[in-house]
Amino acid sequence: MRLATILTQAGPRLHVRGRSGYVDVAAETGNPEYAGLAAVLEAGQAGMDAVRAAAGRDGREYGRANLGPAVPAPARILCLGVNYSEHAIEGGRAVPTWPEAFVRGRDSVLGPYADLVKPALTERFDYEGELGVVIGAGGRYIPADKALDAIAGFVVLNDASAREWQRAGTQWTAGKNFEGSMPIGPEVVTTDEADMTDALLTTVLNGQVMQSARTSQMIVDIPSAVEFFSSFTRLAPGDVIATGTPGGVGFARQPPVWLTPGDLIEVTIEGLGTISNRVVAEPGDRAAWRWHPAVTVKPGF
């Protein structure tokens, strides 16, 4: 199944791709709680069965502008950094033997086709095409061979990063959490429809391929990522795991390539679809703002 959050006059509402168009899950099932993805996932099998029944109906077509973030307000976005060997090497780092982990907040998500606002406080705004894993059943101490049972589906995302902010300190939080800096979508594709073991991921900037890799090249694969994060936290329905970006990011290029207003950045994962975002400038003059991190020569991320 393919689940999308559609922006309607009644607000964001969960829809499922039907025989034709998208079907409003809450309207079709008569359960107003199913207007949001989180409630469906928290309902477990009953929620997914209701969505599956709705998927057998005819719906309505919507344009790109109507699609909101596929996971509208995740409680947590648990992220893996440096999870492809090529990306580690291009950043001057050793290939990690332990997962690099950080967290994003819910206000950093953005619609799959919305304008991507370049923050006024960064001149080094970078792209990171990634596969996202959406948690369904979740749980604690989930072994890798049971990980698929804990996953609801997969999404495409762009972990756009303000590199000065990421490198200014020893932690990555600031550079990874600017408001609306992570487009996610276009749909949550359930595990029975999409096999992400060896899918092609590409990132295209203004028509030029910048990243191209297969998910099989991850250092920590999808089952191991679920196992790792569930070691120290209880994964909950609607949590998102961002699985890291391959080589080809902007900071590692010579000369570096930064996202600037007018750019079109697109991330595609076969079997899931494409997110496409036009970069625009944040309005307002922030030249006098106190916090402008200096660029350092520390290894890249």
Side-chain angles (χ1 to χ4, degrees), residues 219-246:
I219 299 169
V220 179
D221 62 16
I222 295 165
S224 298
V226 171
E227 183 179 67
F228 169 73
F229 284 113
S230 73
S231 300
F232 63 85
T233 189
R234 184 171 298 279
L235 298 179
D239 284 347
V240 174
I241 296 175
T243 57
T245 200

Side-chain angles (χ1 to χ4, degrees), residues 21-260:
Y22 284 109
V23 179
D24 186 313
V25 175
E28 187 63 37
T29 62
N31 186 341
E33 292 185 0
Y34 288 171
L37 175 65
V40 167
L41 296 180
E42 288 166 3
Q45 192 60 50
M48 295 306 288
D49 286 346
V51 173
R52 189 168 288 105
R57 304 298 180 88
D58 291 315
R60 173 184 169 188
E61 293 292 350
Y62 290 90
R64 285 185 167 192
N66 295 108
L67 268 69
V71 187
R76 294 177 304 179
I77 306 162
L78 302 165
C79 306
L80 288 173
V82 200
N83 198 29
Y84 289 77
S85 298
E86 185 182 4
H87 182 46
I89 293 167
E90 72 179 359
R93 299 169 60 99
V95 176
T97 57
W98 183 264
E100 293 278 8
F102 61 96
V103 179
R104 271 184 174 265
R106 68 176 64 191
D107 71 341
S108 69
V109 302
L110 183 72
Y113 306 113
D115 287 344
L116 177 59
V117 178
K118 174 191 167 297
L121 299 178
T122 181
E123 294 304 319
R124 290 162 174 79
F125 196 37
D126 207 349
Y127 53 84
E128 293 194 6
E130 301 191 13
L131 169 68
V133 177
V134 182
I135 297 300
R140 186 83 197 280
Y141 293 112
I142 303 167
D145 62 358
K146 301 292 184 183
L148 199 63
D149 297 336
I151 297 171
F154 305 101
V155 290
V156 185
L157 62 88
N158 181 355
D159 180 28
S161 306
R163 295 299 186 191
E164 310 101 313
W165 287 78
Q166 187 180 358
R167 299 181 185 187
T170 59
Q171 305 299 313
W172 302 2
T173 302
K176 296 287 190 174
N177 276 277
F178 275 86
E179 185 177 11
S181 60
M182 194 186 83
I184 183 169
E187 302 162 319
V188 176
V189 184
T190 54
T191 56
D192 58 345
E193 184 163 333
D195 181 1
M196 289 293 106
T197 306
D198 183 39
L200 178 65
L201 182 158
T202 57
T203 302
V204 176
L205 176 61
N206 299 329
Q208 179 180 350
V209 175
M210 309 299 279
Q211 296 181 290
S212 180
R214 305 198 71 87
T215 55
S216 57
Q217 296 174 256
M218 290 180 190
I219 299 169
V220 179
D221 62 16
I222 295 165
S224 298
V226 171
E227 183 179 67
F228 169 73
F229 284 113
S230 73
S231 300
F232 63 85
T233 189
R234 184 171 298 279
L235 298 179
D239 284 347
V240 174
I241 296 175
T243 57
T245 200
V249 295
F251 82 80
R253 294 179 173 271
Q254 295 298 328
V257 175
W258 307 115
L259 295 177
T260 59

Side-chain angles (χ1 to χ4, degrees), residues 1-21:
M1 296 183 294
R2 293 177 173 267
L3 308 174
T5 296
I6 304 295
L7 306 177
T8 73
Q9 291 184 342
R13 292 178 67 87
L14 179 66
H15 287 62
V16 63
R17 173 62 72 175
R19 290 181 304 190
S20 63

